[in-house]
Amino acid sequence: MAAEGALTTSGYIIHHLTNLTFGKLPEGFVRYDGSVVGEGGTWTIAHGNEAATMGFWAINLDSMLFSVGLGLFFIWLFRKAATKATAGVPGGLQNFVESIVEFVDDNVKSSFHARNQFVAPLALTIFVWVFLMNLMDLIPVDWIPYLATQLGVPYLKIVPSTDVNVTMGMSLSVFALILYYSLTVKGVGEFIGELTLQPLGKYMIPANLFLEGVNLLAKPVSLGLRLFGNMYAGEMIFILIALLPFWAQWILSVPWAIFHILVITLQAFIFMVLTVVYLSMAHESH
Amino acid sequence: MNINATIIGQAIAFFFFAWFCMKFVWPPVTAALRERQKKIADGLDAAERASRDLELAKEKATQALREGKEQAATIIEQANKRASQIVDEAKDAALAEGDRLKAAAKAEIEQEVNRAREALRAQVAALAVAGAEKILQKSVDKEAQAELVEKLAAEL
């Protein structure tokens, strides 16, 4: 059940929800094992809640490893299909890739009407990558962390989309694109006008700015937190199910896993569609 | 759940993958899709054209057949007409030839009859003279009686 037999239930849960964080601990910090960090601080792997002390300049190695690994898998697989793509009879892989590409393309075409070469590939990347990251959730929760513990890695969270940094990293990237396209396609004047002159008319500029500002900022926050929340909750339930005796786990874990197939696909799809819609709004002039 | 630099790493990775996808994945796949779409459309077009051609050819064949039949019927009719004409002509010719032959034969017969009659007449005259000679047992002036004999012969 638990990776470390001596752990309590809450310890087990916390262990499963802790990232493998690499960062700098400040001088004089008392570590989890009672040792004191020496002069000038030290770069190390965080144990327990040490990651909180590391501040912003730390990195979740497991999230980065799995998300980049899955991203590389995605581009490798799709690149492989793309190099062999023929207009003749498609093979299995090409068929698979084409059906996804067409699915994404149809979705983009239905909600994005401006001309932009980047949006459809971006949507494809988001859909497949987020799906793959979510898919890690279906690997039984103990397998890989247990293996990692045996190899001397103290923490390993294999589902990158249960890390708020990952989801917010993506949604803030989308936000950057929203701002970029708003400014370049609409122009600065119109973008500012959109933020200040509606919905209450030009005499209520502060109120307009507040409403539209919240509206604008809510986009990346809701986009990132929606994915994070869904995946985190799903993961949490898998962990709770894993606390049951081993012979009873399948009664709950199998239905939840089957249901989760729907959730992970849906979340990937929602992330993609919302990105396309936001970028479409950024391109639309009034 | 600490916000840290992972957020930046993730954003960099995100842009890299999206860029890579735009440059090296999306264009070949969509190009292949478009090309296949075009191929299929062309194929369907060709099939439609072929079926139209077939329809046209069938129509043409039917028409040719009908024309051929009509022509054949005309030719047969003409031939029949010609045949009956030839038969008629032959019949006419045969009739004419028959008439001619009959006329020639008749003429010849008449000629023969006349000749026979002349010969007979001459013989009868001679016989009559000989008979008269015998009856008279005397010489008779042939010259004197020649006129009488002639008259007798003409009466035969």
Side-chain angles (χ1 to χ4, degrees), chain A residues 67 74 108 111 143 210-211 265:
Chain A
S67 70
F74 154 64
V108 171
S111 48
W143 286 10
F210 175 73
L211 287 171
T265 318

Side-chain angles (χ1 to χ4, degrees), chain B residues 74-92:
Chain B
T74 320
I75 288 170
I76 288 171
E77 203 181 325
Q78 270 175 355
N80 279 338
K81 216 187 274 174
R82 180 86 187 111
S84 62
Q85 202 181 347
I86 289 171
V87 168
D88 282 352
E89 273 173 16
K91 216 188 267 172
D92 286 352

Side-chain angles (χ1 to χ4, degrees), chain A residues 51-52 56 58 60 64 67 71-72 78-79 82 86-88 94 98 105 118 120-121 124-126 129 165-166 169 173 228, chain B residues 1-11 13-18 20-22 24-26 28-30 32-33 35-36:
Chain A
F56 184 76
N60 295 341
M64 284 315 295
S67 70
L72 288 173
F78 276 58
R79 176 65 189 159
T86 69
Q94 197 190 336
E98 275 179 5
D105 200 28
F118 185 55
L124 176 70
T125 308
I126 289 173
W129 196 22
N165 290 299
V166 167
S173 305
F228 165 71
Chain B
M1 202 185 316
N2 306 289
I3 299 286
N4 58 30
T6 309
I7 215 165
I8 295 172
Q10 181 69 12
F14 177 62
F15 278 116
F16 168 71
F17 291 136
F20 187 92
C21 185
M22 176 184 72
F24 302 110
V25 173
W26 193 263
V29 174
T30 48
L33 281 172
E35 202 181 323
R36 183 165 332 116

Side-chain angles (χ1 to χ4, degrees), chain B residues 121-135 148-149 152-153 156:
Chain B
R121 193 181 287 159
Q123 273 180 354
V124 167
L127 264 176
V129 171
E133 255 178 35
K134 274 203 181 130
I135 292 163
L148 187 72
V149 173
L152 203 74
L156 279 168

Side-chain angles (χ1 to χ4, degrees), chain A residues 16-29:
Chain A
H16 263 289
L17 295 177
T18 306
N19 280 109
L20 181 69
T21 310
F22 180 78
K24 189 184 183 186
L25 287 172
E27 192 179 331
F29 182 80

Side-chain angles (χ1 to χ4, degrees), chain A residues 153-169:
Chain A
V153 180
Y155 301 96
L156 196 67
K157 220 168 130 187
I158 62 165
V159 193
S161 48
T162 58
D163 181 355
V164 73
N165 290 299
V166 167
T167 62
M168 286 311 290

Side-chain angles (χ1 to χ4, degrees), chain A residues 255-270:
Chain A
W256 181 243
I258 292 171
F259 176 65
H260 220 61
I261 295 172
L262 175 70
V263 173
I264 61 178
T265 318
L266 197 65
Q267 285 307 318
F269 179 68
I270 290 171

